[in-house]
Structures are given as structure tokens and as C-alpha cells.
Amino acid sequence: MITPRKTLTSNPEMRAAITTKDLPTQAQKPKSQLTRDTRVGDVYWCDFSPLNWPPEFDYQHLVVIVRGGKIERDIHVVLPLTKVDQSNNPHGYRLAHNPNPGSADTSWAVCNHVYAVASERLKPLRDAKGNRLKPRNLAEKDIREISSRLRRALGTFLSFGLALSSEKQP
């Protein structure tokens, strides 16, 4: 069961509660539920931290893998998916089909919320009976559009890096 969202406030009591809370250590990290390495375009559940600052994502959300990795040692780069309308977000993209059709008619990729997560945060999709499903992969058209919007969201940074690399050329 997912607990209701709690928004943190920036007051001394809240900061003290967070710093004294027993947060999981490396030794307490759960075992990964993945059975294979992740691939670009795969859709998984991601267990984001409940300690967030809006507009960060929290609790469980679907994500699409934008840089896959090995289960044992790599970090996975993901973008969250949401059923909340993102038509006012220039970096939001409405998917052709919701990869979790039981939840809503539409699903949006939030391309300006890039996260790097450990394998242990990713969980496979399951059917109504709780059976593990094979990872769903987004349509090629969706992946191309998400890629385009992600590049646009990171455009200032990417162009800065390109400018720096061209200055070093003789």
C-alpha cells in the first residue's frame, strides 16, 4: 500500500526530524527484484524516496529507462511517467499508449525530471494477479520524442559543453 504524499516544509523541526531519522544504510539495501539488465525504453516501477521537495517525485511511479545498466553494478538513468496532465510543461510528452493501462487512459513522460537510481529502486510491472510481467518497452516513436524533449530540457548544459570542447580545438 502506498502511503499518502507528505510535503516537507523547510522548518528547523522538520530538518531535525530528517537528520535524526534512521535512514537505510548500504547494509540494509534490499535485494534487486530485476531479473535482467535494463534497456533503453523499458518501463518499470521506481520506488522514489518519500523525503522529497516538490516538484520532485516521491513514492512509487512508473519510469522509462533512458540509460540502461547492469543489475549488479550500474546506475540506471530514468524519467518518471505520470498520469497528471503535462500539456503546460514544454518538456512533458503524452505517450501514445499508457504502459500501465489499468491506472489511467493517458500517461506522460516528464522529460525535465532526470533521475539516476540504483537497481534496488526498480521493480517489474505486474498483472492484476501479482504475476511479474516481461518489461514493457515504449514505442520507437515515443522514445524518439522523449529523447528530443530530454535534449531540449538539457539544451543549455549540452550547448555549454559543446562550446567548451570547441574552444579547446586548435
Side-chain angles (χ1 to χ4, degrees), residues 3-4 13 17-18 20 22 25 27 38 46 77 79-80 82-83 89 99 103 113 118 136 139 143 146 156 169:
T3 56
E13 295 83 19
I18 291 170
T20 59
D22 289 330
T25 64
T38 60
C46 183
V77 180
L79 292 176
T82 183
K83 55 187 172 188
N89 177 357
S103 68
H113 279 256
R136 295 193 177 149
I143 295 171
I146 289 169
T156 303
Q169 301 290 327

Side-chain angles (χ1 to χ4, degrees), residues 26-83:
Q26 191 73 8
Q28 296 170 318
K29 192 162 63 166
K31 186 176 183 294
S32 175
Q33 294 183 24
L34 301 181
T35 56
R36 70 168 177 84
D37 299 337
T38 60
R39 298 179 185 137
V40 172
D42 284 353
V43 176
Y44 292 94
W45 284 107
C46 183
D47 193 9
F48 290 108
S49 171
L51 302 174
N52 75 319
W53 296 94
E56 296 171 351
F57 278 73
D58 59 4
Y59 297 99
Q60 285 198 28
H61 277 274
L62 286 177
V63 295
V64 60
I65 304 290
V66 295
R67 196 193 107 224
K70 303 258 183 233
I71 297 171
E72 305 86 34
R73 66 175 187 266
D74 286 339
I75 202 77
H76 310 271
V77 180
V78 301
L79 292 176
L81 304 178
T82 183
K83 55 187 172 188

